[in-house]
Amino acid sequence: MGADQNIEWQLAAASALEWWRDAGVDTLVDEVPRDWSAVPPPPPEPPRRRSGAQAVAEVAIAPLPGTLAEFVAWRSGPDAPEAGWAGTPIAATGDPAADIMILVDLPDREDCDSGVLLSGAAGRLFDRMLAAIGRNRDSVYLAPMCSMRPLTGRIAPEIEARLVEVARHHIALVAPKRLLLLGNAPSRAVTGTDVARARGNLQTINLECGKTSVSVDVVASFHPRLLLERPAEKARAWKDLQMLIAGLHA
């Protein structure tokens, strides 16, 4: 290699080094020895965000109260599924020792103002339905699956599983002779199917309450709010009510 070529090579190398230096490169590899054959450790996994369903599932691990009195107090307390929602919880009403328990899905809009389940037009129809079978609100036990009305007016899927568990536990603690399910959500919670498929038969459901098993006869029927929209269904609802009281003494 001639002198001129050597000078050109040095100038080219100096020019490249000057460009790298201007670009911020101040070392070719590293200032400490490195084992290039070593396998780098995997990057740490980012923290997983819990979905609403997972959060509800974690809450569901906590055991539910073992007595009805404790359950009623817990139902409106800080550990209830609806804790933190805006509004006031609406509790079950009537006689927990009655032979008939009635389960509805959630409070109606009018109920949020009155603080009583079934207090509007649907409630007035409900009272007439009870009177037709010789009953009133004092001789049954009326309870909601959801103690507060969601903003959407329906039970959200992410909380439904927890409310089903709570409702079934509530029924097991009351242990009524007959259970009337009004609407699709209560019917699904207890029988596993909507009213259209569950109604028309007296079903026997076994529920676990601690170490004991409770057997309850169940009738599924239409919610009064649906009967207001579809008066033609009242004839079938009347048959359901007759089935409910068959063999019971008022």
Side-chain angles (χ1 to χ4, degrees):
M1 180 180 292
D4 293 341
Q5 289 178 331
N6 188 36
I7 293 174
E8 291 177 358
W9 180 84
Q10 290 177 353
L11 292 174
S15 176
L17 289 173
E18 185 68 23
W19 186 88
W20 287 339
R21 189 178 297 112
D22 291 340
V25 178
D26 55 7
T27 181
L28 293 178
V29 179
D30 204 345
E31 295 181 354
V32 296
R34 177 181 298 183
D35 183 2
W36 292 97
S37 64
V39 178
E45 293 186 3
R48 297 181 179 179
R49 297 182 60 185
R50 297 182 305 165
S51 66
Q54 288 172 327
V56 171
E58 292 178 6
V59 176
I61 296 175
L64 293 170
T67 68
L68 184 58
E70 293 171 338
F71 177 86
V72 170
W74 172 88
R75 197 65 188 85
S76 59
D79 296 324
E82 307 90 342
W85 294 14
T88 303
I90 298 181
T93 58
D95 183 4
D99 52 359
I100 294 178
M101 178 177 178
I102 302 174
L103 187 68
V104 296
D105 51 0
L106 45 80
D108 290 327
R109 287 189 181 89
E110 299 88 346
D111 304 344
C112 298
D113 297 328
S114 67
V116 179
L117 277 177
L118 293 173
S119 58
R124 290 189 289 273
L125 176 57
F126 173 72
D127 290 335
R128 294 197 297 271
M129 292 166 64
L130 290 180
I133 58 173
R135 298 294 180 115
N136 56 37
R137 294 190 185 222
D138 293 333
S139 62
V140 299
Y141 185 65
L142 173 64
M145 281 184 60
C146 191
S147 66
M148 300 175 68
R149 182 176 177 84
L151 293 176
T152 59
R154 62 181 61 228
I155 297 174
E158 60 266 23
I159 198 175
E160 185 171 10
R162 177 59 168 167
L163 290 177
V164 167
E165 178 188 6
V166 171
R168 292 175 69 92
H169 186 75
H170 194 176
I171 296 165
L173 289 175
V174 176
K177 292 181 179 179
R178 297 282 168 85
L179 173 66
L180 177 61
L181 306 171
L182 295 180
N184 283 327
S187 180
R188 286 193 301 266
V190 178
T191 70
T193 60
D194 289 344
V195 170
R197 294 185 178 182
R199 65 162 301 278
N201 296 296
L202 185 67
Q203 305 181 44
T204 300
I205 303 296
N206 293 318
L207 301 171
E208 299 299 324
C209 185
K211 297 181 179 180
T212 62
S213 179
V214 177
S215 180
V216 181
D217 291 336
V218 177
V219 173
S221 191
F222 308 106
H223 194 287
R225 74 171 74 97
L226 184 137
L227 296 178
L228 291 174
E229 298 173 359
R230 304 178 189 176
E233 299 290 2
K234 290 182 179 179
R236 293 204 290 172
W238 171 238
K239 292 182 179 179
D240 297 334
L241 292 176
Q242 290 177 308
M243 185 185 308
L244 176 71
I245 62 171
L248 295 180
H249 298 289

